[in-house]
Structures are given as structure tokens and as C-alpha cells.
Amino acid sequence: MTRLADIPELKSLAARRDLIRIPHEVDVPLTPRVRALIDAPAFRRLARISQLGLVALVYPAANHTRFEHSLGVYHNALVYLKQLSTDPRFEAAIGVEAAETFIVAALLHDLGHWPFCHPIEDMRLPGVPSHELFANSFLLTGEIADVLRDEWDIQPREITAILSEKPRDDRGRLLRSLLSGPIDIDKMDYLARDSLHAGVPYGRHFDQSRLIGSLCLNEAGDALAIRDKGRTAAEMMVFARYVMFSEVYWHHTVRAATAMLQQAFYLLHGQLDLDALFRLGEQALCDELLRAAGASPAAELLAGLFGPTRRLYKRLAEYSYFQERAWYEQIARRPYAWLVACSEQFAAAASRRLGRRIAPHEVLFDAPPVKREVEFNVDIFFPKENCYRPLGDVSPVITTLATRQFDDFVKRVRIFVHPNLIDDLRALGPLDALLTETLARMDS
Amino acid sequence: MTRLADIPELKSLAARRDLIRIPHEVDVPLTPRVRALIDAPAFRRLARISQLGLVALVYPAANHTRFEHSLGVYHNALVYLKQLSTDPRFEAAIGVEAAETFIVAALLHDLGHWPFCHPIEDMRLPGVPSHELFANSFLLTGEIADVLRDEWDIQPREITAILSEKPRDDRGRLLRSLLSGPIDIDKMDYLARDSLHAGVPYGRHFDQSRLIGSLCLNEAGDALAIRDKGRTAAEMMVFARYVMFSEVYWHHTVRAATAMLQQAFYLLHGQLDLDALFRLGEQALCDELLRAAGASPAAELLAGLFGPTRRLYKRLAEYSYFQERAWYEQIARRPYAWLVACSEQFAAAASRRLGRRIAPHEVLFDAPPVKREVEFNVDIFFPKENCYRPLGDVSPVITTLATRQFDDFVKRVRIFVHPNLIDDLRALGPLDALLTETLARMDS
Amino acid sequence: MTRLADIPELKSLAARRDLIRIPHEVDVPLTPRVRALIDAPAFRRLARISQLGLVALVYPAANHTRFEHSLGVYHNALVYLKQLSTDPRFEAAIGVEAAETFIVAALLHDLGHWPFCHPIEDMRLPGVPSHELFANSFLLTGEIADVLRDEWDIQPREITAILSEKPRDDRGRLLRSLLSGPIDIDKMDYLARDSLHAGVPYGRHFDQSRLIGSLCLNEAGDALAIRDKGRTAAEMMVFARYVMFSEVYWHHTVRAATAMLQQAFYLLHGQLDLDALFRLGEQALCDELLRAAGASPAAELLAGLFGPTRRLYKRLAEYSYFQERAWYEQIARRPYAWLVACSEQFAAAASRRLGRRIAPHEVLFDAPPVKREVEFNVDIFFPKENCYRPLGDVSPVITTLATRQFDDFVKRVRIFVHPNLIDDLRALGPLDALLTETLARMDS
Amino acid sequence: MTRLADIPELKSLAARRDLIRIPHEVDVPLTPRVRALIDAPAFRRLARISQLGLVALVYPAANHTRFEHSLGVYHNALVYLKQLSTDPRFEAAIGVEAAETFIVAALLHDLGHWPFCHPIEDMRLPGVPSHELFANSFLLTGEIADVLRDEWDIQPREITAILSEKPRDDRGRLLRSLLSGPIDIDKMDYLARDSLHAGVPYGRHFDQSRLIGSLCLNEAGDALAIRDKGRTAAEMMVFARYVMFSEVYWHHTVRAATAMLQQAFYLLHGQLDLDALFRLGEQALCDELLRAAGASPAAELLAGLFGPTRRLYKRLAEYSYFQERAWYEQIARRPYAWLVACSEQFAAAASRRLGRRIAPHEVLFDAPPVKREVEFNVDIFFPKENCYRPLGDVSPVITTLATRQFDDFVKRVRIFVHPNLIDDLRALGPLDALLTETLARMDS
């Protein structure tokens, strides 16, 4: 087997045989060796972890799984390979073995995820394992490792290398850019899939076919690039990602639920066996958190999220770049512990004003994290001029999205409070004095 | 409030305010009193029960919930009401109060469902509660009942009456026909929704807009009917239902998983507290079944379905109307206990032939149940001739679907066996002698 | 070049290069030698002929062209070839040369069409050329012939052979079955395309991907067949075709317009140079008909269709299998001249009753033609049993569609009259006596 | 009739009765008085004018008509009215009479268009009538005027006022903002419709439902505004418009065809009766231009566009903001006559270099016109803060699109040449010297 087209999964894709269907009407080839991987316990586990976690409290249909997403990313890997195999530079750089490693890496890229992974990681608490180490525990031993060696003739270390180690050569950098970048196979799947299940059109609003047909290599041959015919399609994908953040991932009610979970986890994490906890399915993890919380303040937070009755905190205030920028700039991009302390100070100050005790966990400050989100570091190839230009240079709108709109306008500072408090606190009128007092105490 | 259009949920639908989104891009109005119902524990419970149960083992994205489906049916109720409110006969028959009761009934119609409801009911075992009684336990007391009385001014008994009692008058029959019939609001939702999440086009293949625009009353005024302009749309919906049964609900691998669950439940049900069991969410119910199974034969069946590794029984044989009809006719439409006995006889006979023991639960006979599926009992109104004709009279294709294709061609007799046995049993060659022996012992 | 995959058009399809877009988001490969064909006058002419003719008087957006449709059929040819090239029996039967001939035949299959082709042919008038002879005039000489010889290395006679001669061998029969049959590349395109442009969902309601993935050869190797996994998809396509006939092609207002055009053409055809006429674009042909009509009765008919004001005849009566079957059976499936005579007798009889003259062309009898429409002659392959069964044997619903629903229920007998007459004629009450008199005179 | 909901067209929309279908599955209500308008000659004329003109030479399916588009805009008018009628400020401002005038204005807004309207107007030649005056000739007399007076009880002058006169009061400004602005009913239709027929997804990439649900009035009550929930949807619509310009309306081949038509029209316009010409349908207008051109240089240009063989000029060079900005800035935003002179100078200079005569019309300079395209002047309403902010203030990405991306990056300067010249001219190498010489002569 010397041609990419002879890889069994690509043959199955071409012949439309041995397929499994996922939305939106996508046929995913299941060769026996792929079947063996996805039936293994470490992969089946992804069928018990939802892709979007707390988003389902706002978009109730968004409970699709990482299992489904992983199949989608694997399918995209085949489509990208099929397309790039028509480019002689790619064929020369990536042989059959590297391509098969890439296919498996795509399929298994989420093995290190656990339920509510992203909000938990955003807190940067000690003791939380890295995805990489966590994934390795599923990849390097057990059924997955056996199948890789026996049915794929791949050493498990090759998969962990491509997924998490610093690439050592052009081939490594090239494959990594297919897995992670502004137009990678992961985003290409999750934008469309999250959008479909949430019931919104936003994340499907780009021209997949045009984008895929425009894939090429950058000048150095060590990263994915886009032919100029696909420039607009690339812009549309970046724009689609912005809209998904604005309307779904950073929806204010999703942030309320996220702030509740983060606070509960912050209160409990010292007493949890995180490694064991993160191996559970989502329902089991929720059950375990509820059990660990007992009758502590965390219990009420968790009950509102996972208990019999849905009961979310309410938005007391919101600050963005165009809404009272001064507050926004003082609170955004702070460490999580700072936000917790700030919430406590605010609760104390509010207690004094209302003349009744507000518990610290009844006020939650939520703010944009330090890390910026928009990736747009991809080159555009202009065949007529035979030159490459960075996307940002030929697309002012992308530059604006990336440097301003995304982080300063979508991600906002918000103060959420227990629903029992919202009326009393709103009755206090403008919060400026309270916030001034709160922030003054933070500085002292 | 005297006009249907003034009902708050219909006003919210018209003004596109206070909406929640579900696929496919449907905006569902959430008034405070609807919010109160869906946040209540008995309704939140539906968020932990999947609509299609074991289908997700074959169509991995089909894990949408009864919560989402219930919102869809409620939305359809509003759409039907909005449309029918343009028909003076409907306005005269159904006042605001009856309409509000109908809206609530639509939202709560699945409250009596438990995980894997349909395969369990198909077995007709003693001790399995009826939906109605089960739903009543959530409807007549507790938070739902309180909200109905306090926020809707509806007596809970009115909801149970419309959902499960024999209608006493024309109004009752009319509302019931909107909830249950060939073009009811339930099928209108689940065909499209199941299809979308499964990733197949089949169940969305009808012209919703045309069908809804054609809704009218039958001659007697006690059932939904269709104007002749919507006849083809009605045919399409019945056809769509046929395709969904053929490709999804009765997919042979779905039937393998169903036969496994039924056998396990059959083995365990004597030792289970069914009322408590059925109040659990789906994950918790699976956990409880696995616990109850211990090391019994049921354990292996359940582990293949819900354990760490997916491991389904294989299809040894299949008989339909056009494939060896004689076997089909001898096995189809038998009681579940007869099929169990038949499986045991087959296992015993096969053990003799193979010279090794095959356990009774390693062979599963699966066959169409007695009840036929296709409903097509709806009248078509021809305004030019001012007459009504039954759909079957003006559509031979519907008659054929209902009387032949559906039950005799889609639903098949199948023999599933443990994957360890499949090669040996296939090596035996044609099964006719084995089956003859099996059925002879059944008769004796 | 020895592999099908090396055919330039298939390479362009795979590499997504040199594409032109048509709805619905289909990328059609345009190699230079395809570009040369479609830019030639005989092909550009198709851009001035609409696919559906008079349908646009009812579905105003349905004015897509035969040019667009031809690109769609050509694209389907590539998709079918790509799929079938994974079947060794096909590869063995069809070499590169035959495949290229097939590709060109698909692209050029409509070259012999003229505006309003189908209604004119249905009348079976003398002097109307056959498509084949008409197409040959564009294929065997001129720019198309030159391009075929120079750029494709194909003799024009090979194209006319595959399109219109009786196939002489298995290869010929096989390729013909891809061009003409129940799941051919032509229907696969026009059902979806007509549906899209008309604005209705019906003709897109089948599972293209599943159907294409199921393509195989029949047992004899001389016709397209379907693997059993695609059986339902094939049923859906036949059903979709039925719905398109019911709601679009045989819509009663489309039939009114058709009857008007047929009558006008019947009145004029003796004085027209049909060969020259049929070479015109659609607008030019309409202009020419209007010119030829002068002030004759045909002028009024044509003015209502193509003049400044749209003015269509009204439906006075309608008879189908379930509506007054006796009249239906006496009038359906008669020669066009018989219908004309019948219209005249009816006009005369009605004139007597109304006491004013009704001109013969003011009454138009429209009825189903002799030829039945539904094709379902395709075999289904069952790999587990290694046998082939005709679709009709495994699908009662298809048999019913084909033998009953389609011709007896969709296609109806209708009497259309000039809009000025409709009120007076309706005021006469039931038409039975008038029809009895009319038909009695026809028999005498 | 005092409520907007009682307007017959809105009642028909609500009851889904008397509908005509246009893509994409939109049901347009046809009351008798609407039917009377669209069957009138001045409106039927729009069925013979394509929406996109020369675009069909590049996107061959884009030959939808202004008739279809007008129905879509009329439908949007009903949808906007239905939505805004839930806003008490709108109901108070716009009574039934004003609403009916608006409905008619929406339906008839394109009556003053003629074939290839936009490229001809862009040239700003003397003698070309304004749309307004041209529309008035159809509106103020004839069948449309009669129907307005007799069936709508509307004076034709009221329609011309709302369509083309400066609004005199708040009501006038408000209705005008529904017809013309960044989220008007016209753009809402054509973006989606042009996109659908062209076969591309771009123009449908916004959330119509969310946008419509967010419609409100601005603070002054004299223009449409958007609630903050619809801000992202408004951004998406502006972005969609950008992509449609980039990929369709300003596609480089469309510009080649446009430059050819403009040059031909420029050469001929002195000898044409423009008023008579512009009353023709598109095919007839093309025929007339070809006739007028005789054997002049315009004939070759027109033959390449409308003759038997498609033959477009080729792109010799292209300059944009990021490609050789200096040339771009010297050529963009010049009067058409300047571009003609420039082409002539270039042809002369190139003739000298090639040593053979290049006719002036064989070189065409194409450049962005003076008028900028992106409209984004709409207010966003923030109900929590009870304040209005301009879209540009809360959306940097919109500001960037409007001020930079659109005009400086999408619209480029291009030099097109006759296909016979392209190889020779390319062989000359870089064009800088030629351009320097050309521009130097322009300045002198």
C-alpha cells in the first residue's frame, strides 16, 4: 500500500460502504479496525460525556456527545486527506503511515476529555490533570493500545506524540496544523455540530465545500494554508465561530451556570480524588459531586444545576467594552481566585447595605479569562501572483474580529446572584458605590 | 380573554418573544407558567430519558431527550391551534379554557414515560404499570399539580382526562384526535426530530407547512381532517413514518439490542421494584439493572448494551414476507413468552448439533408483535364537491402501506445469537431442519 | 489512461478544481473540453429553453433552464461512475473510452429538446420531428461534432448511438440503464432541481447518498441494480416522482395552460415550419407562435399564456378514479384529435343550452395520455442470500404506485373553459346531461 | 377594519390560504386584489427580466426573475408588518391604510427596473431615465393604476410617494426605513434568493427568524431598529451581504461581462431610444442591442455575451488594496468616461509595444464606482438599560466591513482584454511601464 487512496478508511469513504450515520446526514466509514477502537471502553466512555455540558441548560437539545463529535472529526480527517492527496507536495510529505497515524489521532483526539472539562480547566486549579497526561492513561495501555498495535500496526506513542508533543519536523507541524488551527478538522466539526444540536444556524454558516476544495500547504510546507478562492470561506468560518461564542458558548445564562459549577468545584476540589472523578461519565460525575457536597454551600449550587429542579442564578449586572468600560477593564482577565475574593467582598458589602447576611457563594463574579480565543493565523495562497499572504493582511474584518470584537465585546464581566436575592439587590439601585467599595477592598 | 389568539403562549408565538430554541431552528415560546412546568422535577426528569433508547447504539447521535421532544409537541400544539383558530367551526367548538388544557396536555403528554418504555411494554408482562397510572402519579400531586392549579387555573384531572380517558363528547374526541392519529402533533414532532438527530433525512420528508395549512375538522366535527390540497402531504407523512420504521426504529441491529434488553428484563423483572425503577433517569435505570443482574445470565446481556464495551448479538437468520414466508408466518405475532420458549428449544437443538452447550439466553428470537402500526384513519375534505372521503379511499398507496408493506415487509422475524456462536452456527448450513425441530417441540 | 479515476472530469471532481456552481450547492467540474462543449451554440441554446415551460405560470420561480439541468445530469454521470468504479464488474465492463462516451452523452442528452417539447409531443401530430433526429442535427455536424472529434477523440455517432439507438450489447444496455430507468441520472437531477426551483420540498425527498452508495449491477450485468440497503431509498425516489407529478407536473392549473398551448399548436401547426421553429429559444418561439396566430382563435389562447396579461382557462369539471369514475373511464387515454372533437361537441351542446355561441376553442378537454409514467423496473440485490429480486416483488407500495395511484388518481380528466364562460356554465348545474349528449355524438 | 391583523393579505398569511409558492418553500398569500396587480402587464413584464442579469454567465442557474423577487419582498412586507404589529408604538404610528400602501409599495418596488439596470446606471450617462420616473409611467396610468384605485382604494400617487419622494413625516420615514436600509425587506429577500439560485450558501447565512423577532422602532420612532438580542443576526446579515458581493455580484468574471456590456452600451447609447428600449423584456432588449450594433465594434462585445457562443474577455491584471495599492488608488472611483479614455490609451500603448493594432474596445478598464455599498446605519435597542446605540458603536466588525473591507478589498480594479489578446499581452511581462505611460497620458 503506497498511495493514500488505498488506506482502508479512504477506500470505504470512496465506495460508501460500511458506514455509520451522524448528523447532518454524514456517512462515516467504519472499517473493522475503526470499529474496534470505538467499541473499546475508553472510547465508549465518550458516549457518556456531552460535548457542551452546561449549555444544555439553555439550549435543551444540545446534549450531543463527544463520541459523536469524535466520529465527525475522524470523518473530517478523511475528507482533508482525500482533498490534500490531490496536492503533490502533500503526497510527498505525508506517506501512508503518517496518514494512518493522523486518522487515528483525529478519532482519538478527545480521549483525554472529562465532563465539564473547559470550565474546570479555565480555573487553573492545582491538581487538575492535563488533558495530555489524562489521555495517555487511556492510550498507552489497555484495549486501545492493543488495537493500535495489533490492528493498525501503530505504536501508541506515535498517537500521543502527534496529539500533544511539540512537533519535531515539518511533517509533524503540518499534521498538527490540520488538528489545531483556525480551519482545523476539530473546529470544522464542532461549529457545525454544536450549532445543529443547539437548534441555531450560526455555526453551519460557512462554505465547507469551498473551504475544503481550497486547502493547500503554506510556503514552507509545514502548515495548512488556503488558496485565495477559499479566503472568503475562511473568513466565514472565523465569523461563524465568533457568532457561536456570542450566542451559545458565552450566552449569559450559560455563563451563570458555568459560574455556579466553577464555584462549587472550587469549594469541593480539595476533598475530591480528581483522577478517579474525571474517569466517570457525566451523570456519574454529577452524582459524585452532589454526594461530596453533602450539606455544604456547594450543595445548593449543584442542586440548581443537576438536581430535580433547575434553578439558576440571575444576572445582576453586566459590563462590556461598550457598557461601562471602566468596570469591565478592572475585572476582566483576573485569576479565578481573585474573582472569588471579589465575590466575597461584594457579598459582605451588600450584606451591610441590605442588613441581612448574604452568603459568599450567593454572589458570583464572572469575567473573561486571560487567554484570547480567535485564531486566524493561516496563510492565503495567490496562485496568479504565486505568493502567500497572512489572512489578517488581506482581511481587515478578521483582524478586527480577532483583536477587538471577540474578547472585548462578546466576553463580558457579569455579576450573578442567587435568585432569592435578585429583587432586593436590584432595589438598591445603581451598583457603582458597591463596586467601588468592593474593588477598593481588593486592592488593599 | 375570549379569543384563542389571546392565550399567552399563542401571543408569545406571534410576537416571537421569550423563546427557547430547539432543532431544527424552532423557537418555542416560554411563558412564565410554561417555565414553571418544565423546571419542575417531574418534567426535568424527561431530560434524563432519551427519546429513542437503544437506537443510539446504531445511530450514535440519536440521544435526544423526551424533554426536547415534549417542547416540540407543545410547539406543534400552538401551531395547530393557531391554524385551526382560523376555522370558525373550531373556534366555536374549542374555547380558551379547552385550548389551554390542550396546550398543557401536549406539553405533559410524555410524563408517564420511563426509559426503554416501548420495548418493555411490548412484552406485556404483569406488574408493568400503564403509562396513564404512572403519569397520574406525577400529574395529580406535587409541583406540577400545584403549578396547574395556581398558575394555569386548571385542575390536574382535566389533563389526565384529555390524555388517557375515553372522550365523552365531540370536543373531547376532537382534541384527542390532535394528540393521537395519523397526523397528530406527536408524530409530527418525533418523525422529524428522530430523523434529524439520527442523521437521516427520512422523517423530515413531508411538507409540514402544506399539511398544517390544510387542517380542518371532519364532517361530524369530532376529529381532525385534511383539505384535499393537503392529501399528498398526508400521504408523505405516512410514507415518512414507514421509512423511519424501516430504517431506524426496526433497523436489524436496533432489534438485536432490543431483543437483548427484553430478554434481560424478562429474566430480572420478578426481582425488581418496577415502580421505583421506572422513576429513575435512564443512566440510573441502567445502573440499577446491572446491579440487579449480579452474575446471572442477564448480566452478560446488559453488559453488551450498557457496559464499558459495546457487544451486540449477531443476526443468524431473517425471515420476511418475501424471504421464506412460511417461517415468517409461523413465528410472527406470538406472545413474548412463546418466543422465549422457542429460543430455548432452538438453543437446546443447536447444542445437540454442535456438541457443546448453548445457554438459553444466547439465542434470541425476535418477531413482529400483534399490534399493527400504521394509522391512516383520517378524512379528506373536498371543498369543490363539499364532501369528505376517508384517506384510504382516495389513496391506494396508503392502503397498501397500511395493510401490507408495513407489517409484513418491514417487521421481520429474526434470530440473534451471541457473537461467540455466530461462526459455528453459520457453519451448520441451512437452518430449516433446526427450525423444524424447534417448532415441532413448541407444538407438542 | 487505463483507470476510470484518471478521466480528467473525475479527477477534477475529486480535486474540487475548476468548478462551476449550480443549486443546490453542487460543484460541477468544468474541464477545458467540457467548457468547449457547453460554450458551443447548440448547447448555449439550452440556456434559452426552460426546463418546465408552462409550469412557471403556476410556480413562478420554476424558470430554470435545460442548460442548468444538463450540467446536473453530467454531474450525476460523474458521481455514478465514481461510485460504480468501486465495483470490479463495472470496471471490467466499462473501460475509459466507454465511460467518456457516457459522460458526454449525459451532458448532451437534452440537445434534441425544444421549448414546450413534452406537451407538443404528447399530441402525436404528424410532422413533429423525433428528439433523436433533431438532436442528431446538432450532434453530427457543427461545433459540437468538431469538439467531440478534436478534444474528446470521440466520433459523434457514438454519442447518438448511446442516446437513441437500440443497444447492441451488454455494455450498451448497461450504460443506457444509467441514462434511462427508475433511478437514472436524469430523474435523479430533475426531481430535485424542479422541486428546488418550484419552491416545494417534494422532489428532494429521497436519500441521494444512500441510493448512490447502493448502486450495483444486475445479475446479467446489463443493467443498473440496487443493493438491498438502498431499497427504501429507491422507493422514496419513486414516491418523490409521484408527488412531483401530483403537485407540479400535473397541477390542474398547469394542465389548463397545457391544454391551451396544445389547442393553439393544433390549430396552427399546419402553417408552421416546425424544424425552424423548434430551433428557436423559448421567447423567440413564443413570439413566432403569436405572429403566426395573427387574429385567429389561436391568438387568444396564446395571448393568455404569453401575452402582456396572464389569463388562463378555468376548471369547469374534474373526473378521476374516485370522482365519478364512469366519466373518467370514457374520456381518459384517447387520441388528441378525439379530445378536440369532443371539446367541439361539448361547445356546440353548451351553446344550445346557453343560447349563445361558444367557440370550439373556448372549451378544452384534457385527459391522461395512453402512456403510463411510473418506471420501477429495477432489481434489488440481496448480498446475504446472494440473490436478485425485482423491486416490485419486495415492495407492494411501489407496485400500487405504479399500477394504480399514479395514472388513475393523479392524472385526471378535466374540462377547462374560457374565463368569460365559467360562471354561465357553472350556473347550468350538473354537467351529466351535457356530457351524455357530447359523448353520444362522439360515438355516432 | 381597524386592526392590522384584519388586512386581507395578513389574514391570508395567518390562515395559510390562497398561497403561491416560491423558493425556498415560501408561501406567498395571493388575495384577489394582489392577483389583479401581478397579472397586469406592467408587473408580468418583471417575469421577463432576470434579477441578476449577466451573473447567469458565471452562475448559470441564477436566472430568477424580478417577478419572483417582488413576490418575496411583498411576503417580507407582510412578515415585518405582522411582527411589528405586536409593538404598540408601531400600531399607533401605522394604521391600516398606511400599512396597505406599504404592502403595495413592497410588491411594486421594482416596477421601474429594466434589464441590466444596475450596470447601465453605474455609468451615469445622460438620457438614462431615473427609476422613479420610469416606474411612474407604469404606476400612474394603466391597469396597475386602475386596480389600485378600484380594488385597493389607494391613489397611485401614494405609492410613488412612499417609493421615491422624500418622506415628509415620521410615518413616512419609518415606512421608508423598512423598504431601504441595512435590514430592509428588499435585501432580506434578494440576499437569500440570489444565493439560492446561484447555488451558493452565502446570502442565506443569517438568522432571519431571530432578526425579524428583534425588529422594533428607534428612539425617535421614525426608523426601524433592532433589539439587542438581534444584534448578532444583524451583523450576520451585513456580513452575508459582503460575501455575496465578494463571491457573486463582484465576481471577476461577472465584472468582465459587465465591462463588456457597459462598453457596448456606451458605444451605442446615442443611437438608441432608451425609453422604448427599457420597456422591453430582457431577451427582446438583447435582440434590439444586437440589431442596433450592426457590424460596429459593439457587435463583437454583445455577441460574446448574448450571441450563440459565449466568449468573455479575460482578466489581464487586477489591483486591490493589498495587491499593488498604488495602481488601485489611481484608478478606483473615477467617472466611466475616464475609464474609457484610459482603456483607449492603454490599447494604443499596447499596440505600439506589440506592433499590431489593438482596437480600443478590446481593452476594458473596470474599477469600483464612487458610491460605497455597505449600509449599517441602524440602532440597537438595549431594553435592560433602556438605551439605543448605533450598530457601529457596538460592533467593530461592522465598522470595519463598512469602511474598509467592502470597498477596498472586494471591489478591485481590473483590466480585461479580448481573449485573442491575452497570451500576447501576458507575454509582455509586468505591466508597470505600460500603466505608467497610460496614466501619464491621462494626466496630460
Side-chain angles (χ1 to χ4, degrees), chain A residues 28-303:
Chain A
V28 182
L30 281 200
T31 56
R33 62 186 187 172
V34 167
R35 179 98 254 172
L37 287 174
I38 71 171
D39 281 349
F43 199 91
R44 283 298 304 165
R45 171 182 167 273
L46 300 179
R48 287 185 287 273
I49 300 179
S50 75
Q51 177 76 6
L52 291 184
L54 300 165
V55 170
L57 291 165
V58 179
Y59 289 96
N63 42 36
H64 51 298
T65 67
R66 293 214 169 258
F67 185 96
E68 176 190 342
H69 164 62
S70 297
L71 290 176
V73 174
Y74 153 69
H75 180 262
N76 283 348
L78 300 181
V79 171
Y80 273 48
L81 280 180
K82 179 168 174 297
Q83 179 66 35
L84 287 165
S85 72
T86 65
D87 179 335
R89 291 170 70 209
F90 186 85
E91 277 264 36
I94 307 293
V96 165
E97 277 182 43
E100 292 191 327
T101 307
F102 169 69
I103 290 170
V104 170
L107 182 64
L108 304 181
H109 80 287
D110 258 2
L111 226 50
H113 273 256
W114 57 81
F116 313 113
C117 209
H118 290 305
I120 288 173
E121 287 185 316
D122 279 351
M123 300 162 71
R124 306 185 175 216
L125 300 179
V128 170
S130 76
H131 284 312
E132 291 71 33
L133 288 178
F134 201 67
N136 289 0
S137 73
F138 295 116
L139 273 163
L140 299 181
T141 58
E143 199 167 321
I144 296 276
D146 293 344
V147 173
L148 288 178
R149 274 187 291 255
D150 298 347
E151 303 192 35
W152 287 84
D153 200 17
I154 288 177
Q155 291 307 311
R157 276 281 170 217
E158 297 174 56
I159 304 300
T160 61
I162 193 175
L163 283 176
S164 55
E165 290 170 18
K166 191 176 157 54
R168 283 158 304 186
D169 52 16
D170 280 2
R171 177 194 289 175
R173 277 184 288 275
L174 175 52
L175 292 178
R176 177 67 65 81
S177 76
L178 272 66
L179 284 161
S180 177
I183 51 166
D184 65 39
I185 56 175
D186 186 20
K187 292 184 186 68
M188 176 78 81
D189 184 77
Y190 78 66
L191 288 176
R193 189 165 309 287
D194 294 350
S195 175
L196 183 86
H197 285 289
V200 297
Y202 320 123
R204 283 165 289 151
H205 277 182
F206 57 97
D207 190 346
Q208 274 209 16
S209 178
R210 172 75 77 101
L211 197 48
I212 290 165
S214 305
L215 297 177
C216 62
L217 303 197
N218 69 354
E219 194 157 15
D222 69 348
L224 202 60
I226 299 283
R227 297 167 75 89
D228 66 340
K229 287 216 164 188
R231 179 184 55 84
T232 325
E235 290 172 351
M236 290 163 75
M237 184 164 160
V238 175
F239 191 79
R241 190 153 173 258
Y242 149 66
V243 181
M244 283 300 283
F245 265 85
S246 176
E247 302 304 306
V248 178
Y249 308 143
W250 268 74
H251 186 284
H252 66 89
T253 314
V254 171
R255 289 311 303 178
T258 301
M260 290 169 72
L261 178 66
Q262 288 181 326
Q263 176 77 4
F265 190 82
Y266 185 79
L267 293 171
L268 296 175
H269 80 283
Q271 65 189 90
L272 298 165
D273 174 351
L274 295 185
D275 185 76
L277 186 77
F278 292 164
R279 290 178 189 278
L280 299 174
E282 190 162 309
Q283 180 65 51
L285 182 140
C286 294
D287 294 345
E288 175 58 19
L289 287 180
L290 284 164
R291 196 201 55 70
S296 75
E300 187 175 21
L301 291 159
L302 294 168

